[in-house]
Each structure stands twice: as structure tokens, then as C-alpha cells.
């Protein structure tokens, strides 16, 4: 049986990542990989020295996520934060609706795939005053869908 070689942590408290990471580094063997999920705080985790970002957004927008990781790993925290800031509208949607729902909505809005079968289990039939992100994700981005399309193509960075 294989050994455990990685930890995946949530990033609920962005301001606590650096101390949390330092505590974990003291308790695990050298070479043990420490990663974080919670895309909205991943830049902070990577800047703090995390080894891995367990990203939902990277499944659909890998380039922008890798740009953040690369900047952080090269010690350019300002650039990692700048790029991360362009994603703030998405992070807000992730926290409000869940990252999985938002990514499926984004995939549909960008014509990457249709998520009709998935949507039925993610978005309840009874719609509340806040519509599921399928109907409003890009409209909540600054400049709407066109900005999102540019983000995908890398021109917003």
C-alpha cells in the first residue's frame, strides 16, 4: 500500500494561510506536497509557498490559473495578485453559488460544452430570486460576457 504524500487544505481564511502552511511544513516530512483548494484564496496560498493549487477554475481556464501559479513560484507576488484580482467577480460567484455550478455555467456561456444533464442536479427546478449562475454569471463580470471571452483568450491579463 502506498504512503500519503500530499495534503489538500481548504483556504477559507486567506489571512491564515501563511501560518497554517508553516505549521504543516513543521509536521510533515521533507518533500511532502502541501496544496490548497478554494480558488479565491489560491493566489495567497501559492505566494505563501504552497506546492499545489487544487483548482476548479483551472479545469476550464487553465492558462490564467497557470499564470498565477508561475508568477507566485517565480516570486512575483504582485503579478500573481494582479491577475488574481481580475478574477474577483468569478471568486464572488464561486462563494455565492459554488465553484462547480459557476464553472458549468461558464462552460455553457462560452460554448465549451452543454451541461443540461448536470444542471438538473446542480440547479434546483424552483428558482429563487437569485437565479443560478447559468443565467447571470457573465453578466456579473465587469463588461459582461465579452470580458469573460477576453479573459479566456488571455487578453484581460
Amino acid at each position: 500500500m502506498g504512503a500519503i504524500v500530499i495534503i489538500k487544505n481548504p483556504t477559507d481564511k486567506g489571512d491564515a494561510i501563511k501560518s497554517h502552511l508553516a505549521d504543516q511544513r513543521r509536521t510533515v516530512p521533507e518533500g511532502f506536497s502541501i496544496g490548497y483548494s478554494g480558488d479565491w484564496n489560491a493566489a495567497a496560498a501559492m505566494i505563501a509557498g504552497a506546492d499545489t493549487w487544487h483548482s476548479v477554475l483551472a479545469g476550464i481556464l487553465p492558462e490564467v490559473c497557470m499564470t498565477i501559479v508561475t508568477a507566485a513560484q517565480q516570486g512575483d507576488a504582485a503579478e500573481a495578485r494582479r491577475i488574481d484580482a481580475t478574477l474577483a467577480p468569478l471568486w464572488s460567484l464561486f462563494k455565492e453559488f459554488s465553484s462547480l455550478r459557476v464553472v458549468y455555467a461558464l462552460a455553457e456561456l462560452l460554448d465549451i460544452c452543454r451541461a443540461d444533464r448536470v444542471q438538473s442536479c446542480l440547479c434546483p427546478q424552483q428558482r429563487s430570486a437569485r437565479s443560478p449562475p447559468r443565467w447571470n454569471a457573465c453578466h456579473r463580470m465587469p463588461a459582461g460576457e465579452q470580458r469573460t471571452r477576453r479573459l479566456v483568450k488571455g487578453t484581460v491579463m
Side-chain angles (χ1 to χ4, degrees):
M1 182 175 267
I4 296 172
V5 296
I6 188 169
I7 298 172
K8 176 184 170 191
N9 297 289
T11 58
D12 296 334
K13 297 179 177 141
D15 56 342
I17 293 171
K18 191 171 185 172
S19 63
H20 180 263
L21 181 59
D23 289 344
Q24 285 194 338
R25 291 259 185 245
R26 285 190 290 273
T27 61
V28 297
E30 189 173 326
F32 200 93
S33 183
I34 301 174
Y36 288 84
S37 61
D39 286 19
W40 51 91
N41 285 324
M46 295 307 298
I47 291 165
D51 301 306
T52 305
W53 171 8
H54 301 276
S55 175
V56 174
L57 187 63
I60 194 165
L61 300 177
E63 294 85 4
V64 70
C65 296
M66 278 305 301
T67 305
I68 293 170
V69 169
T70 301
Q73 289 176 338
Q74 292 176 347
D76 193 348
E79 179 67 358
R81 286 186 187 104
R82 185 190 71 76
I83 298 166
D84 181 65
T86 69
L87 299 170
L90 279 176
W91 302 154
S92 177
L93 288 169
F94 275 27
K95 290 185 255 182
E96 185 175 350
F97 296 106
S98 94
S99 55
L100 182 63
R101 287 184 176 115
V102 172
V103 166
Y104 272 111
L106 192 56
E108 283 196 31
L109 290 166
L110 297 174
D111 293 324
I112 294 170
C113 72
R114 305 276 3 126
D116 296 332
R117 291 184 181 160
V118 176
Q119 186 217 345
S120 64
C121 68
L122 294 178
C123 301
Q125 292 300 324
Q126 63 274 22
R127 291 174 52 189
S128 66
R130 293 185 312 184
S131 298
R134 175 182 183 195
W135 293 279
N136 68 6
C138 287
H139 301 290
R140 299 234 336 241
M141 294 285 289
E145 187 172 345
Q146 290 305 312
R147 179 178 170 91
T148 304
R149 288 187 187 280
R150 288 192 313 272
L151 176 70
V152 172
K153 293 178 182 172
T155 59
V156 171
M157 295 186 287

